[in-house]
Amino acid sequence: MVSRLDQSVGEVVTALRTKGMLDNSIIVFMSDNGAPTFGVHSNRGSNWPLRGMKESPWEGGVRGVAAVWSPLLAKTQRVSNQMMHMSDWLPTLYSAAGLDTSRLGQIDGIDMWKSLSEGTPSARTEIVHNIDEIEDYDTIRRGDWKYIRGSTQSGQVDGWYGESGIDSPSYNADRVLSSRTGTTLAGMITKLQIKEKETSRRTTQENESSFSDSGKGPWQLLTSSTIRSLRQQAEVRCDLPTNGSAPCNPRSHPCLFNIREDPCETTNLASQRPAVLNSLKDTLERYRGTTVRPLNVPGEARANPALWNDTWVSWGDEEDEWESWTAPRPSRGRIPLLLSLVGLLLAAVTVNLLLASNTSRQYGTVLQQLIFSGKITSSQQDKGSSKVEKVANTTEQ
C-alpha cells in the first residue's frame, strides 16, 4: 500500500510540473491522528512511543505529523516544532495564496504561514483538544503544558501500544531520492537554481548578499545525509515509565505534563506545579461555558430494515405517511386465483365484443396478444381456439 501511495503521489507531483504549476504550488502530506492499534478497528498502525491511541486525549491520539514542500517557503530542509491545529490550515493556505485572512471572519484557525515558512515562533499558544460531556473528559494544552481530566473507554487506552518500528528494514535514503517524487522535485529545484543564478547576475551586490544571509537559500537539492539528519531531528525519544514515575489516573485526578520535555506523558507533574494545573483547569471551565449541546443522538429503532420488508427506505421523510404504510408482501393463497378470474372475465368481454362486430381476424390477433402476454392460461387458450373456429365457420357461411 505504501509503495502504491508513493507511486500515486509521484504521478501527482509530475503532473503539476508538466502543467507548469509546481513552481507555484504548496504540497502538504499529512497523517491522520492516532492509529487504532487494537480494538474492533485495529490495524498495523502504531503510535509508539507516544501514549494512548485513536479516540483518546493522549499524544498518541491527538498528535499528527506532516511534510510541507513548496518553492514559496523561505527556509527549507528543517524540522518544524511549532504548535499547530488542524483548523489552522484554512487561514494558513489562504494567507499563502496572498489573500486577506480577515475576510474569513471569526474562525478558530490561526494563520501559521509565517511560522511554517520562516521558522518564527508559533502564532498559536493554546489548543483545546476536547471537552467531551459524553465520555466525560477534557484536555487542553498551553505552551509546553498539557492538562488531562478523565479518559475514554474506561481508561482502557491509557497505556503505550504498538510496535517501535526499530527492527524494520533499514531506511534507504537513496531510494527516496530516486523515487518519482524525488526525481521530479530535483529537476524542479535544478531549474529554479539556474533561474536564480541568471537573476543574480542582473542584481546588485547588495541584493546578492541579502539573499545569502538567509542561510543555504531555498533552492537546495536534498541529499542522503540531509535526509538522515532530518529524520533524527524529527524522531520522538522517550524513556519508558519507571517505578519512580509519578502515577497518573486522570479518571480520579487531573494530570499535568510538560509535552516538550516529556512528549510520551510518563511523568505527572500535577503535584509539583499546582498553579499551572489550576490555571489550565480555569481556562477549560471558561471554554466549557461556550460549548453547545453535542450532536450525538442514539440510534433510531424505526430505521431497522426488518420493519420495512427488509428494504432500505427513507422512513423518516414523511413520518405520517410511513406510519400508516405497510410494505407489500409476496402474494399467496387466493390472490393468484383472483387474478386468473379477472383474466377470464376480460377474455369473455373481448370475445363478446368481437362476435358482435363479426371481426374474427381482429379477435384472433387480440387473443394471441393475450396468450403471449400471459393474461390467460393454457386451458383458456384451448377454449378460445374453439371459439375462433366457430366464428370462422360462421363468416364463411
Side-chain angles (χ1 to χ4, degrees), residues 116-131:
L116 294 179
S117 177
E118 302 177 14
T120 59
S122 175
R124 174 176 288 280
T125 59
E126 194 172 83
I127 294 178
V128 177
H129 289 303
N130 206 357
I131 299 177

PDB file of all heavy atoms in Angstrom, residues 116-131:
ATOM      1  N   LEU A 116       5.550  28.613   9.514  1.00  0.00           N
ATOM      2  CA  LEU A 116       5.989  27.462   8.731  1.00  0.00           C
ATOM      3  C   LEU A 116       7.050  27.844   7.704  1.00  0.00           C
ATOM      4  O   LEU A 116       7.985  27.092   7.465  1.00  0.00           O
ATOM      5  CB  LEU A 116       4.794  26.829   8.026  1.00  0.00           C
ATOM      6  CG  LEU A 116       3.729  26.179   8.912  1.00  0.00           C
ATOM      7  CD1 LEU A 116       2.603  25.613   8.054  1.00  0.00           C
ATOM      8  CD2 LEU A 116       4.337  25.079   9.766  1.00  0.00           C
ATOM      9  N   SER A 117       6.879  29.000   7.100  1.00  0.00           N
ATOM     10  CA  SER A 117       7.783  29.400   6.024  1.00  0.00           C
ATOM     11  C   SER A 117       9.130  29.887   6.543  1.00  0.00           C
ATOM     12  O   SER A 117      10.176  29.542   5.997  1.00  0.00           O
ATOM     13  CB  SER A 117       7.139  30.502   5.179  1.00  0.00           C
ATOM     14  OG  SER A 117       8.027  30.951   4.185  1.00  0.00           O
ATOM     15  N   GLU A 118       9.113  30.657   7.623  1.00  0.00           N
ATOM     16  CA  GLU A 118      10.329  31.305   8.082  1.00  0.00           C
ATOM     17  C   GLU A 118      10.868  30.719   9.389  1.00  0.00           C
ATOM     18  O   GLU A 118      11.953  31.099   9.840  1.00  0.00           O
ATOM     19  CB  GLU A 118      10.076  32.804   8.262  1.00  0.00           C
ATOM     20  CG  GLU A 118       9.606  33.487   6.975  1.00  0.00           C
ATOM     21  CD  GLU A 118       9.289  34.952   7.182  1.00  0.00           C
ATOM     22  OE1 GLU A 118       9.682  35.488   8.247  1.00  0.00           O
ATOM     23  OE2 GLU A 118       8.657  35.556   6.305  1.00  0.00           O
ATOM     24  N   GLY A 119      10.107  29.833  10.026  1.00  0.00           N
ATOM     25  CA  GLY A 119      10.572  29.237  11.277  1.00  0.00           C
ATOM     26  C   GLY A 119      10.421  30.138  12.475  1.00  0.00           C
ATOM     27  O   GLY A 119      11.091  29.919  13.497  1.00  0.00           O
ATOM     28  N   THR A 120       9.559  31.135  12.412  1.00  0.00           N
ATOM     29  CA  THR A 120       9.328  32.032  13.540  1.00  0.00           C
ATOM     30  C   THR A 120       8.462  31.338  14.597  1.00  0.00           C
ATOM     31  O   THR A 120       7.821  30.324  14.312  1.00  0.00           O
ATOM     32  CB  THR A 120       8.632  33.323  13.077  1.00  0.00           C
ATOM     33  OG1 THR A 120       7.377  32.977  12.463  1.00  0.00           O
ATOM     34  CG2 THR A 120       9.492  34.053  12.051  1.00  0.00           C
ATOM     35  N   PRO A 121       8.431  31.856  15.826  1.00  0.00           N
ATOM     36  CA  PRO A 121       7.596  31.236  16.869  1.00  0.00           C
ATOM     37  C   PRO A 121       6.139  31.110  16.424  1.00  0.00           C
ATOM     38  O   PRO A 121       5.630  31.936  15.668  1.00  0.00           O
ATOM     39  CB  PRO A 121       7.752  32.189  18.057  1.00  0.00           C
ATOM     40  CG  PRO A 121       9.083  32.841  17.844  1.00  0.00           C
ATOM     41  CD  PRO A 121       9.225  32.990  16.356  1.00  0.00           C
ATOM     42  N   SER A 122       5.488  30.071  16.911  1.00  0.00           N
ATOM     43  CA  SER A 122       4.118  29.803  16.511  1.00  0.00           C
ATOM     44  C   SER A 122       3.175  30.903  16.972  1.00  0.00           C
ATOM     45  O   SER A 122       3.292  31.407  18.104  1.00  0.00           O
ATOM     46  CB  SER A 122       3.659  28.461  17.077  1.00  0.00           C
ATOM     47  OG  SER A 122       2.289  28.244  16.794  1.00  0.00           O
ATOM     48  N   ALA A 123       2.253  31.268  16.099  1.00  0.00           N
ATOM     49  CA  ALA A 123       1.225  32.235  16.463  1.00  0.00           C
ATOM     50  C   ALA A 123       0.170  31.609  17.364  1.00  0.00           C
ATOM     51  O   ALA A 123      -0.616  32.311  17.991  1.00  0.00           O
ATOM     52  CB  ALA A 123       0.568  32.797  15.204  1.00  0.00           C
ATOM     53  N   ARG A 124       0.143  30.312  17.445  1.00  0.00           N
ATOM     54  CA  ARG A 124      -0.817  29.615  18.312  1.00  0.00           C
ATOM     55  C   ARG A 124      -0.120  29.218  19.612  1.00  0.00           C
ATOM     56  O   ARG A 124       0.955  28.626  19.608  1.00  0.00           O
ATOM     57  CB  ARG A 124      -1.368  28.367  17.619  1.00  0.00           C
ATOM     58  CG  ARG A 124      -2.260  27.509  18.511  1.00  0.00           C
ATOM     59  CD  ARG A 124      -2.864  26.350  17.776  1.00  0.00           C
ATOM     60  NE  ARG A 124      -3.890  26.771  16.841  1.00  0.00           N
ATOM     61  CZ  ARG A 124      -5.143  27.071  17.189  1.00  0.00           C
ATOM     62  NH1 ARG A 124      -5.511  27.037  18.465  1.00  0.00           N
ATOM     63  NH2 ARG A 124      -6.018  27.422  16.269  1.00  0.00           N
ATOM     64  N   THR A 125      -0.783  29.513  20.703  1.00  0.00           N
ATOM     65  CA  THR A 125      -0.210  29.183  22.010  1.00  0.00           C
ATOM     66  C   THR A 125      -1.077  28.205  22.799  1.00  0.00           C
ATOM     67  O   THR A 125      -0.658  27.733  23.860  1.00  0.00           O
ATOM     68  CB  THR A 125      -0.040  30.464  22.857  1.00  0.00           C
ATOM     69  OG1 THR A 125      -1.316  31.099  23.029  1.00  0.00           O
ATOM     70  CG2 THR A 125       0.913  31.435  22.164  1.00  0.00           C
ATOM     71  N   GLU A 126      -2.260  27.911  22.287  1.00  0.00           N
ATOM     72  CA  GLU A 126      -3.203  27.107  23.065  1.00  0.00           C
ATOM     73  C   GLU A 126      -4.047  26.233  22.151  1.00  0.00           C
ATOM     74  O   GLU A 126      -4.444  26.655  21.068  1.00  0.00           O
ATOM     75  CB  GLU A 126      -4.105  28.049  23.872  1.00  0.00           C
ATOM     76  CG  GLU A 126      -4.910  27.408  24.951  1.00  0.00           C
ATOM     77  CD  GLU A 126      -5.607  28.462  25.796  1.00  0.00           C
ATOM     78  OE1 GLU A 126      -6.692  28.939  25.381  1.00  0.00           O
ATOM     79  OE2 GLU A 126      -5.066  28.843  26.859  1.00  0.00           O
ATOM     80  N   ILE A 127      -4.324  25.006  22.587  1.00  0.00           N
ATOM     81  CA  ILE A 127      -5.194  24.084  21.851  1.00  0.00           C
ATOM     82  C   ILE A 127      -6.118  23.388  22.842  1.00  0.00           C
ATOM     83  O   ILE A 127      -5.652  22.775  23.808  1.00  0.00           O
ATOM     84  CB  ILE A 127      -4.391  23.006  21.092  1.00  0.00           C
ATOM     85  CG1 ILE A 127      -3.554  23.625  19.974  1.00  0.00           C
ATOM     86  CG2 ILE A 127      -5.324  21.954  20.507  1.00  0.00           C
ATOM     87  CD1 ILE A 127      -2.699  22.609  19.224  1.00  0.00           C
ATOM     88  N   VAL A 128      -7.403  23.506  22.616  1.00  0.00           N
ATOM     89  CA  VAL A 128      -8.368  22.703  23.362  1.00  0.00           C
ATOM     90  C   VAL A 128      -8.565  21.420  22.563  1.00  0.00           C
ATOM     91  O   VAL A 128      -9.207  21.426  21.523  1.00  0.00           O
ATOM     92  CB  VAL A 128      -9.712  23.435  23.547  1.00  0.00           C
ATOM     93  CG1 VAL A 128     -10.712  22.532  24.270  1.00  0.00           C
ATOM     94  CG2 VAL A 128      -9.506  24.719  24.330  1.00  0.00           C
ATOM     95  N   HIS A 129      -8.024  20.328  23.057  1.00  0.00           N
ATOM     96  CA  HIS A 129      -8.145  19.065  22.332  1.00  0.00           C
ATOM     97  C   HIS A 129      -9.583  18.580  22.319  1.00  0.00           C
ATOM     98  O   HIS A 129     -10.081  18.127  21.290  1.00  0.00           O
ATOM     99  CB  HIS A 129      -7.223  18.007  22.950  1.00  0.00           C
ATOM    100  CG  HIS A 129      -5.774  18.262  22.695  1.00  0.00           C
ATOM    101  ND1 HIS A 129      -5.241  18.383  21.432  1.00  0.00           N
ATOM    102  CD2 HIS A 129      -4.735  18.432  23.557  1.00  0.00           C
ATOM    103  CE1 HIS A 129      -3.947  18.598  21.518  1.00  0.00           C
ATOM    104  NE2 HIS A 129      -3.616  18.639  22.797  1.00  0.00           N
ATOM    105  N   ASN A 130     -10.241  18.670  23.467  1.00  0.00           N
ATOM    106  CA  ASN A 130     -11.638  18.235  23.504  1.00  0.00           C
ATOM    107  C   ASN A 130     -12.267  18.568  24.851  1.00  0.00           C
ATOM    108  O   ASN A 130     -11.585  18.608  25.887  1.00  0.00           O
ATOM    109  CB  ASN A 130     -11.761  16.725  23.246  1.00  0.00           C
ATOM    110  CG  ASN A 130     -13.113  16.360  22.650  1.00  0.00           C
ATOM    111  OD1 ASN A 130     -13.970  17.218  22.479  1.00  0.00           O
ATOM    112  ND2 ASN A 130     -13.308  15.094  22.330  1.00  0.00           N
ATOM    113  N   ILE A 131     -13.574  18.823  24.820  1.00  0.00           N
ATOM    114  CA  ILE A 131     -14.415  18.874  26.014  1.00  0.00           C
ATOM    115  C   ILE A 131     -15.575  17.939  25.714  1.00  0.00           C
ATOM    116  O   ILE A 131     -16.496  18.294  24.992  1.00  0.00           O
ATOM    117  CB  ILE A 131     -14.906  20.305  26.323  1.00  0.00           C
ATOM    118  CG1 ILE A 131     -13.721  21.236  26.572  1.00  0.00           C
ATOM    119  CG2 ILE A 131     -15.850  20.299  27.511  1.00  0.00           C
ATOM    120  CD1 ILE A 131     -14.117  22.692  26.814  1.00  0.00           C
TER     121      ILE A 131
END
